[in-house]
């Protein structure tokens, strides 16, 4: 089945799918760019590893503690007196166990000098919430922004806290940041919402080089079809994370028009 949305598919943001989608998207971008940047540059897939709690998998049982009344004998100064006492029984809870996370990202390197010319990041849920994932990514982000490397930051997740950008008060569902090293601290920020197409954006390399245009929408459409996500996504259910009421109505009408509801 063809891709059912004009832009980002909110059902792909579900944590149950996102790890797989993230890996496929990184490879798709690399395969798309490699033939266009050769023979001057090479596209390399890198990996960032850290430990954090997988909050999407944690469930804590918050039921009230069950208390049973039982008759037990307690000894007092006046002798043995039978009194009613409460015997506390344990409940089942889940502990936040650290998990190893591996996040792929791309580096475009000069084939001769091996210098990193451009870094391409696709944000994960762990990058957008407080914790080790955000710390690890933010450290890398600041290193790139303080270097002579370009940065492309792709955020296709509605949930979580966006990465820091000064003087931006416009809220949007998604964003793509293009930071050319020779323009800093100025950068180009593409903001878009669920109902809009994912915008095309330029890939910065050396100053003066012809910019390559990246059609992220086309790449995601292709991933959706090749990975057969239509066979595993249940469009009769609500999207996770939850949509706004306005977007729920729009998604419902869109899916019904394609006989997916």
């Amino acid at each position: 089945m063809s891709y059912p949305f004009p832009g980002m598919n909110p059902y792909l943001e579900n944590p149950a799918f996102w790890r797989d989608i993230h890996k496929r998207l990184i490879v798709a971008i690399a395969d798309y760019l490699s033939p266009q940047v050769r023979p001057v540059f090479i596209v390399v897939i890198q990996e960032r590893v850290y430990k954090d709690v997988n909050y999407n998998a944690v469930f804590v049982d918050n039921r009230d503690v069950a208390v049973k009344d039982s008759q037990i004998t307690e000894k007092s100064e006046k002798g043995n007196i039978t009194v009613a006492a409460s015997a506390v029984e344990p409940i089942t809870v889940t502990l936040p166990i650290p998990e190893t996370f591996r996040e792929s990202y791309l580096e475009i390197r000069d084939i001769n000098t091996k210098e990193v010319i451009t870094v391409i990041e696709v944000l994960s849920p762990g990058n957008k919430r407080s914790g080790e994932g955000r710390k690890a990514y933010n450290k890398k982000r600041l290193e790139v922004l303080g270097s002579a490397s370009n940065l492309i930051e792709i955020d296709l997740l509605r949930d979580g806290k966006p990465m820091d950008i000064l003087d931006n008060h416009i809220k949007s569902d998604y964003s793509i940041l293009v930071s050319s090293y020779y323009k800093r601290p100025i950068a180009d920020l593409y903001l878009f919402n669920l109902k809009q197409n994912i915008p095309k954006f330029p890939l910065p390399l050396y100053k003066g080089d012809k910019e390559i245009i990246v059609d992220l929408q086309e790449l995601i459409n292709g991933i959706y079809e090749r990975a057969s996500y239509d066979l595993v996504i249940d469009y009769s259910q609500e999207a996770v994370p939850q949509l706004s009421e306005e977007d729920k109505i729009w998604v419902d009408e869109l899916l019904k028009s394609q006989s997916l509801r």
Side-chain angles (χ1 to χ4, degrees):
M1 187 188 73
S2 60
Y3 191 79
F5 285 85
M8 180 58 186
N9 184 336
Y11 286 83
L12 297 181
E13 300 175 57
N14 191 318
F17 303 128
W18 185 253
R19 283 195 188 184
D20 181 65
I21 292 162
H22 188 278
K23 292 175 183 177
R24 290 177 183 271
L25 185 54
I26 287 291
V27 173
I29 295 173
D31 290 345
Y32 176 82
L33 292 177
S34 289
Q36 300 189 71
V37 300
R38 62 171 295 138
V40 180
F41 306 102
I42 187 173
V43 183
V44 181
I45 298 177
Q46 296 283 51
E47 190 175 64
R48 178 170 49 252
V49 181
Y50 62 89
K51 283 186 175 292
D52 201 355
V53 176
N54 184 359
Y55 291 96
N56 293 315
V58 171
F59 169 75
V60 179
D61 190 342
N62 288 321
R63 293 173 298 175
D64 292 336
V65 176
V67 178
K68 282 188 177 181
D69 289 336
S70 61
Q71 297 291 323
I72 62 174
T73 301
E74 293 185 352
K75 190 174 182 180
S76 70
E77 294 179 356
K78 296 182 179 180
N80 291 340
I81 301 175
T82 301
V83 297
S86 298
V88 178
E89 294 187 354
I91 63 172
T92 300
V93 297
T94 304
L95 298 179
I97 305 300
E99 179 180 336
T100 298
F101 287 82
R102 301 178 183 276
E103 294 175 349
S104 299
Y105 60 96
L106 298 176
E107 289 182 349
I108 299 178
R109 297 178 181 175
D110 187 299
I111 197 68
N112 293 317
T113 66
K114 311 304 180 186
E115 290 180 293
V116 177
I117 307 304
T118 303
V119 176
I120 303 175
E121 293 272 4
V122 178
L123 297 188
S124 294
N127 306 143
K128 298 188 67 179
R129 63 170 179 250
S130 59
E132 295 305 315
R134 189 175 182 90
K135 290 178 183 177
Y137 174 65
N138 198 47
K139 179 181 178 182
K140 174 67 176 181
R141 186 180 195 251
L142 292 175
E143 288 175 356
V144 176
L145 292 177
S147 72
S149 298
N150 307 299
L151 174 66
I152 293 177
E153 182 179 271
I154 300 168
D155 184 358
L156 299 177
L157 299 169
R158 289 171 291 115
D159 204 23
K161 180 183 178 182
M163 300 308 299
D164 293 338
I165 296 176
L166 300 180
D167 300 325
N168 174 45
H169 305 294
I170 302 174
K171 292 184 178 180
S172 66
D173 293 328
Y174 313 105
S175 68
I176 299 172
L177 176 70
V178 179
S179 172
S180 303
Y181 74 92
Y182 51 86
K183 293 182 180 178
R184 289 190 186 120
I186 304 301
D188 294 322
L189 181 63
Y190 298 79
L191 301 174
F192 54 106
N193 293 311
L194 179 63
K195 301 175 186 178
Q196 298 175 288
N197 291 342
I198 299 174
K200 298 177 182 179
F201 61 90
L203 173 75
L205 296 167
Y206 284 130
K207 184 177 183 180
D209 281 357
K210 182 180 178 180
E211 292 179 322
I212 296 169
I213 301 301
V214 180
D215 189 342
L216 194 61
Q217 185 72 71
E218 180 182 331
L219 296 180
I220 289 179
N221 292 4
I223 290 171
Y224 181 86
E225 294 186 14
R226 290 193 302 274
S228 298
Y229 283 124
D230 63 299
L231 300 180
V232 294
I233 294 177
D234 184 357
Y235 286 112
S236 68
Q237 304 297 316
E238 297 296 335
V240 177
Q242 190 174 24
L243 296 164
S244 68
E245 289 304 316
E246 179 184 343
D247 284 341
K248 280 183 182 179
I249 295 171
W250 178 79
V251 167
D252 184 57
E253 293 175 351
L254 179 70
L255 295 177
K256 283 180 178 177
S257 71
Q258 300 176 65
S259 300
L260 292 174
R261 279 191 176 176

